[in-house]
Amino acid sequence: MRQRLQTKKPSMPRVGRPPRSAQQSAEVRARVIEVARALFATEGFEAVSMRRIAADAGCAPMTLYGYFHSKNEILRYIWEGFFAELFARVAAAAAKGTAAERLRRACNAYLEYWLEFPDRYRMVYLNQDEAADGEHYFAEESQVAEGYGRIRALIEAAQTEGTAWPGDAQLMGETLICGLQGIAHSLITIPEYPWMAAERLLVQMLGVVLKPKM
Amino acid sequence: MRQRLQTKKPSMPRVGRPPRSAQQSAEVRARVIEVARALFATEGFEAVSMRRIAADAGCAPMTLYGYFHSKNEILRYIWEGFFAELFARVAAAAAKGTAAERLRRACNAYLEYWLEFPDRYRMVYLNQDEAADGEHYFAEESQVAEGYGRIRALIEAAQTEGTAWPGDAQLMGETLICGLQGIAHSLITIPEYPWMAAERLLVQMLGVVLKPKM
DNA sequence: CTCTTTTATCGTACGCGTATAAAATAATCC
DNA sequence: GGATTATTTTATACGCGTACGATAAAAGAG
């Protein structure tokens, strides 16, 4: 009943078909992700089936499950592209100027990105499923936590500039992020309500951090 | 090929099985909604199938579609109960005190409701489908628009009190609502991030409207 | 080569939401 | 009483995500 003892690492079988190399896996995954990205972009996430992705990728539907846990995990890989573009825009917007101006423009770029691509917003933020154990999550590590940190740094710089209110920069940053998120969410998911213009809401929201302009 | 001319109102057939009375429709709908509400509350929206609702309601699955356009429309009827409880709590919280205190407590009650029932939040705000023509939407009419109006009135009262910043009360109200929504959304959908306490985020967010306390 | 073992791929099947069309029902007309 | 007709109810079927088990493939062992 006991597993056969191995001479090398624990559970390294010496016989049998070898598992895919990391490179093979990465290649297949990359092809599937690219196929899925193109389909989702033109037809939308819900409208594209795993059968369709498999057909375009040249394999059987269930083969995809050897590389991804679920359709949603494929989507989560595609988020990376969204966030990369988003953060590139935000970084470009916040490249120069006073700390207050950089913060203002960064927030504006953030908001404009989601309002320009509401379908992407829905794919990311109206996603019901939460990642199961071992799924690719694309959580705080990498870009997102880094972006949050930059917000806080900008707030601290604005505070030393005298253009931001004094107070806990972390708290102010999280509040601002929630506020931006709420503006995007409300305008995108309740479009039938006659919201004020996003720029005006943003200016008002920035009041949690920045003192009013002269 | 032409329809037969009718003597009474246009398209009032005089023969054939008569349509359900409004009361019959209402009774069946109410029973289905109650059955669905109970099931959704214990098992969650996704986990409950139309077949299951139909079995509990004592009809064939497709019969439900004579009374509702979709599973999501059933859910939208159930929202009404959520919002009724929410607004009752908000109204109770805002019953007495200065305008600033009432606003603060109303916002706190709003936020606490969703944080206490995150599943309800997800059912309402992570809902992908938008209502098709003719579906029961539960949109601004009734309670929600009324709630928004009350927020604005409280802000105006706080302005005359001198406890709120001057400015466009409508703009400030929408910004505050977006901010509350964003706090709820972020804390509920990204629970793995170490957010600051909701009360602190709320106090900070109220800064878009209220002057700091002494 | 064949046998064994491990992994990769895929065919089949389940329950889902719901479109469609057949069946049942309830009324009037003759 | 049929026969007709408008409406309600339901049986069937489709494509979906994916669990499960069968099959194919790739390696060492003999």
Side-chain angles (χ1 to χ4, degrees):
Chain A
M1 290 309 176
R2 170 95 62 90
Q3 287 253 119
R4 186 186 327 175
L5 293 180
Q6 301 296 147
T7 53
K8 309 186 93 178
K9 293 238 187 94
S11 66
M12 282 286 270
R14 312 196 342 86
V15 305
R17 175 174 175 164
R20 296 183 284 263
S21 74
Q23 187 188 355
Q24 283 170 327
S25 285
E27 279 168 10
V28 173
R29 257 196 279 265
R31 195 176 69 243
V32 170
I33 289 167
E34 176 48 32
V35 162
R37 195 203 52 73
L39 286 172
F40 293 168
T42 58
E43 325 237 353
F45 177 70
E46 314 275 357
V48 174
S49 69
M50 290 294 268
R51 289 165 173 83
R52 178 93 181 279
I53 297 170
D56 279 26
C59 64
M62 287 307 294
T63 303
L64 297 174
Y65 289 87
Y67 295 87
F68 303 93
H69 290 85
S70 67
K71 187 185 178 192
N72 245 283
E73 194 185 15
I74 299 178
L75 177 61
R76 278 195 287 273
Y77 276 97
I78 293 173
W79 290 1
E80 291 190 10
F82 298 166
F83 280 102
E85 185 175 346
L86 166 63
F87 285 123
R89 287 194 188 198
V90 169
K96 51 172 57 175
T98 66
E101 275 305 315
R102 291 162 67 199
L103 184 62
R104 221 186 298 272
R105 283 201 276 257
C107 291
N108 193 61
Y110 183 87
L111 203 49
E112 275 188 340
Y113 179 81
W114 293 122
L115 294 177
E116 181 176 345
F117 302 110
D119 292 348
R120 296 184 187 179
Y121 183 88
R122 275 185 268 263
M123 284 194 232
V124 173
Y125 288 105
L126 300 190
N127 196 62
Q128 293 273 155
D129 302 10
E130 48 204 86
D133 268 7
E135 288 197 25
H136 178 70
Y137 197 18
F138 185 62
E140 283 58 43
E141 68 271 13
S142 69
Q143 308 170 48
V144 177
E146 199 180 322
Y148 285 14
R150 267 204 280 264
I151 294 274
R152 205 195 47 191
L154 276 177
I155 291 172
E156 283 166 350
Q159 283 175 325
T160 61
E161 258 180 18
T163 49
W165 304 109
D168 184 336
Q170 179 70 29
L171 175 62
M172 296 166 93
E174 290 186 13
T175 307
L176 181 58
I177 286 166
C178 289
L180 294 178
Q181 208 62 43
I183 294 174
H185 191 82
S186 298
L187 269 59
I188 289 171
T189 64
I190 320 181
E192 67 277 7
Y193 183 82
W195 299 103
M196 298 226 154
E199 306 81 35
R200 296 193 65 194
L201 293 166
L202 173 59
V203 167
Q204 190 75 28
M205 188 66 76
L206 279 163
V208 295
V209 170
L210 297 178
K211 300 177 183 174
K213 274 193 287 196
M214 282 311 92
Chain B
M1 291 307 171
R2 171 98 60 92
Q3 286 254 119
R4 186 183 327 173
L5 293 180
Q6 301 296 149
T7 53
K8 310 186 93 177
K9 294 241 187 87
S11 66
M12 282 286 273
R14 308 191 351 81
V15 305
R17 175 175 177 167
R20 297 183 285 264
S21 75
Q23 189 188 354
Q24 285 170 326
S25 284
E27 279 169 9
V28 173
R29 257 197 279 265
R31 196 176 68 243
V32 170
I33 288 166
E34 176 48 30
V35 163
R37 194 203 52 73
L39 286 172
F40 292 167
T42 57
E43 324 238 353
F45 176 70
E46 313 275 359
V48 175
S49 69
M50 290 295 268
R51 289 164 174 83
R52 178 93 180 277
I53 297 170
D56 280 25
C59 63
M62 287 306 295
T63 303
L64 299 174
Y65 288 88
Y67 297 87
F68 303 94
H69 290 83
S70 67
K71 186 185 178 192
N72 245 282
E73 193 185 16
I74 299 178
L75 177 60
R76 277 195 289 272
Y77 276 97
I78 293 173
W79 290 2
E80 290 190 11
F82 298 165
F83 280 103
E85 185 175 344
L86 167 62
F87 285 122
R89 287 193 187 197
V90 169
K96 51 171 58 175
T98 66
E101 274 306 314
R102 291 162 67 200
L103 185 62
R104 222 186 298 272
R105 282 200 277 257
C107 291
N108 193 59
Y110 183 87
L111 203 49
E112 275 188 340
Y113 179 82
W114 293 122
L115 293 177
E116 182 176 345
F117 303 109
D119 291 348
R120 297 184 186 179
Y121 183 89
R122 274 185 270 264
M123 283 194 232
V124 173
Y125 288 105
L126 300 190
N127 195 62
Q128 293 274 156
D129 301 10
E130 47 205 87
D133 270 6
E135 286 195 27
H136 177 71
Y137 197 18
F138 184 64
E140 283 58 43
E141 69 270 19
S142 70
Q143 308 169 47
V144 178
E146 199 180 321
Y148 284 16
R150 266 203 281 266
I151 294 275
R152 206 195 45 191
L154 277 177
I155 291 173
E156 283 165 352
Q159 283 175 326
T160 61
E161 258 180 18
T163 48
W165 302 110
D168 182 337
Q170 180 70 29
L171 175 63
M172 294 166 94
E174 291 186 14
T175 306
L176 181 58
I177 287 166
C178 288
L180 294 178
Q181 209 61 44
I183 293 173
H185 191 82
S186 298
L187 268 59
I188 290 171
T189 64
I190 319 183
E192 68 276 9
Y193 184 83
W195 299 104
M196 299 226 153
E199 306 81 35
R200 296 192 65 194
L201 292 167
L202 172 59
V203 167
Q204 189 75 30
M205 187 67 75
L206 279 163
V208 294
V209 170
L210 298 178
K211 298 178 185 175
K213 275 194 284 197
M214 285 310 93

